Amino acid sequence: MNPQIVSTTETVDFVFFFIFGISAIMLLGITAAMVYFVVRYNRKRHPHPTSDKASNLTLEVVWTVIPSILVMGMFYYGWAGYLALRNVPEGALVVKATGRMWSWSFEYANGKLSDKLYVPAGQPVKVDIHSTDVLHSFYIPAFRVKRDAVPGLESHVWFNAEQPGSYDIFCAEYCGVAHAAMISTVEALTPHEFEEWYRGEPAAAEADEGEALLTRFGCIGCHSLDGSKKVGPTFQGLFGSSREVLSAGQKRTLTADEEYLKRSILEPAADIVEGFPPAMPAYQGQISEFELEEIIEYFKRMAGAKKTQSLGEQLMLRQGCVGCHSTDGSKSVGPTLKGVFGRQVKVLRDGKELTIEADEQYLRQSLIQPQADQVQGYPPIMPTFGALPEEEIEALVEYLKTLQ
C-alpha cells in the first residue's frame, strides 16, 4: 500500500473488511461443521465409538496450513496499513494540535490559531499532536485516525479530506469532568477558500487579542462567552461582577476585579466559584505577564459592552424572547437572532413570498406586528409587543444589531 495514493479511510476500511470477512467465513464454517457433527454423530445413533483412527495427516496439514495463511494474511495487511498510517505523504500541510482540559487548539506555520482544524480538501494534512496537561486522544472518526496526546511526547496522524465538509474531532481518552465536551471539527474547504482563510491575518489580529489568547489557552472549552452554561462560569459580564466563592473552605463574596482575575488564572484553586467543580488547571508559569494583562483587558472590554447592551438583553430575557429564539445560531422554535441584523429573510406577506433585508424597520415591525411578515419555515405563534414603550423597542433593536 502506497500512503501517497491510498487514503487513511481506504487503508483502515480495507483491513477491517478483510479481517471481518475472514472471521465471518470462519464463523459460518465452524458453526456448520458443529451442527453437522452434532447431527451426524449423535450419541443415540452411535452409542459406542467405532473409529480406530489414531491420526489423519491430511486433516492436520489442512487445519495447520490454512489458519497460518489466514493469520499471516491479516498480519501483512495490518502491518502494511499501519505503515500507511504512519508514513506521511510528501507535501502534506503541517498543523500543530494542542490538547488541554478540555479543548483542542490548532496552530499553523504562519502563526494562525484556531479552535477548529481548517484544511484544504484533497491535500494530505499532518497533525502534530501535543498535550499540556493530562492524557488525551485525538480522534477523527471520518478519517479513521486516532492517536494519544501524551504530555511531553510528540506524536502525529495524517489524513486527506477528499471532499469539502465538516467532520467531528473527539477526545477518545477520559481526561476529566468535561471530557465529553472536548469536541471540535475539521473544516475541509476548497483549495481557494482555504488559501483565502490561511493567507488572512493571524488569529490574534483577526479578532480581539484577548479572545485569541482565550482560544490558544483552551479557556473557551470550559467557559462560554455568551452566558451559556459550561463546565466553568461564563465570561459574559465577568469583570466587576460579584462572585460567591469558597476560599479555604470558607464562603465569601468577592468582586471580579483585576486582582481576583489574576489569581483565578494563576491559582484557580484559591477561590472556587460555588456550583462549579475545582477542575481548572493553574497557569502559573505557562502564561506571560503581557498575555495575562491582555486577557484581563479583554474581560474589561466585555464588561463595558455588556453595560451598553444590558437594557436590550434584560428585555430579551424579561419578555421571554430567548425561550423561542437562540442567540448562538442553534435551531429553536423561532429563527435564531444571531446575525439577524442585515440578513436576507424569506417571508410571507399577504400570502406572497418575498425576500427582504432585516433592517431596523423590519426588526421594529417584527416586534410590534410579528404576523405582518412570517418567516418561512416557522410557525406564526409570536405574540405582539406593541404595548412596549418606545425606548424599550429601541433598546431591543439596538441589542439585536449587536448579535453578529
Side-chain angles (χ1 to χ4, degrees), residues 19 39 74 79 137 150 195 206 208 213 223-224 228 294 318-319 341-342 377 383:
I19 296 176
V39 175
M74 288 188 284
W79 177 248
S137 186
V150 183
E195 191 67 21
E206 258 181 15
D208 190 288
L213 288 169
H223 304 270
S224 72
S228 58
E294 283 294 323
R318 187 189 308 160
Q319 299 297 333
F341 182 71

Side-chain angles (χ1 to χ4, degrees), residues 340-345 355-363:
V340 63
F341 182 71
R343 188 165 64 203
Q344 297 296 310
V345 184
T355 300
I356 59 178
E357 182 181 346
D359 54 14
E360 288 193 24
Q361 182 180 352
Y362 168 82
L363 295 177

Side-chain angles (χ1 to χ4, degrees), residues 104-106 108 114-118 169 184-187 197:
W104 296 104
S105 63
F106 304 96
Y108 295 77
S114 175
D115 57 351
K116 295 182 179 181
L117 179 53
Y118 290 91
I169 299 175
S184 186
T185 56
V186 175
E187 299 296 332
W197 178 85

Side-chain angles (χ1 to χ4, degrees), residues 215-370:
T215 299
R216 179 188 303 173
F217 289 109
C219 308
I220 56 177
C222 295
H223 304 270
S224 72
L225 300 175
D226 59 2
S228 58
K229 189 174 181 180
K230 281 192 173 185
V231 179
T234 182
F235 286 151
Q236 187 180 52
L238 171 60
F239 187 80
S241 64
S242 295
R243 298 272 147 165
E244 300 290 333
V245 302
L246 284 174
S247 304
Q250 300 294 318
K251 290 185 179 180
R252 59 175 182 158
T253 302
L254 298 177
T255 299
D257 54 14
E258 288 192 29
E259 181 183 353
Y260 168 83
L261 294 175
K262 286 184 178 180
R263 187 168 63 252
S264 296
I265 294 171
L266 301 177
E267 303 175 65
D271 302 306
I272 306 299
V273 178
E274 278 199 292
F276 295 94
M280 179 173 166
Y283 283 87
Q284 185 78 50
Q286 299 186 42
I287 187 171
S288 68
E289 185 65 28
F290 172 78
E291 291 169 332
L292 190 61
E293 292 293 339
E294 283 294 323
I295 290 174
I296 292 173
E297 288 301 316
Y298 174 68
F299 288 146
K300 289 181 180 180
R301 289 192 292 275
M302 283 184 68
K306 176 76 175 177
K307 290 176 182 177
T308 61
Q309 300 167 4
S310 60
L311 176 58
E313 187 169 0
Q314 288 176 12
L315 287 168
M316 287 281 293
L317 296 171
R318 187 189 308 160
Q319 299 297 333
C321 307
V322 293
C324 294
H325 304 272
S326 74
T327 58
D328 60 0
S330 59
K331 191 173 182 180
S332 189
V333 179
T336 182
L337 299 178
K338 183 178 181 180
V340 63
F341 182 71
R343 188 165 64 203
Q344 297 296 310
V345 184
K346 293 182 179 180
V347 301
L348 285 175
R349 178 185 295 173
D350 298 327
K352 297 180 180 179
E353 294 185 3
L354 299 173
T355 300
I356 59 178
E357 182 181 346
D359 54 14
E360 288 193 24
Q361 182 180 352
Y362 168 82
L363 295 177
R364 293 175 65 87
Q365 181 164 308
S366 295
L367 292 168
I368 300 171
Q369 296 178 292

Side-chain angles (χ1 to χ4, degrees), residues 18-19 32 71 85 102 119 125 139 165 172 181 184 190-191 259 308 371 399:
F18 178 73
I19 296 176
V71 170
L85 292 174
W102 289 272
V119 301
V125 178
Y139 178 38
S184 186
T190 64
E259 181 183 353
T308 61
Q371 309 305 328
Y399 175 66

Side-chain angles (χ1 to χ4, degrees), residues 136-202:
H136 301 284
S137 186
F138 185 77
Y139 178 38
I140 313 177
F143 305 122
R144 317 294 194 265
V145 293
K146 182 165 78 73
R147 197 76 176 174
D148 283 351
V150 183
L153 178 68
E154 182 177 323
S155 57
H156 74 271
V157 297
W158 78 270
F159 64 90
N160 182 5
E162 296 180 352
Q163 300 294 330
S166 183
Y167 307 91
D168 291 326
I169 299 175
F170 298 105
C171 175
E173 189 76 39
Y174 182 71
C175 54
V177 65
H179 161 70
M182 193 169 170
I183 300 172
S184 186
T185 56
V186 175
E187 299 296 332
L189 310 176
T190 64
H192 177 70
E193 289 174 335
F194 176 79
E195 191 67 21
E196 286 188 341
W197 178 85
Y198 183 74
R199 296 302 176 190
E201 293 297 322

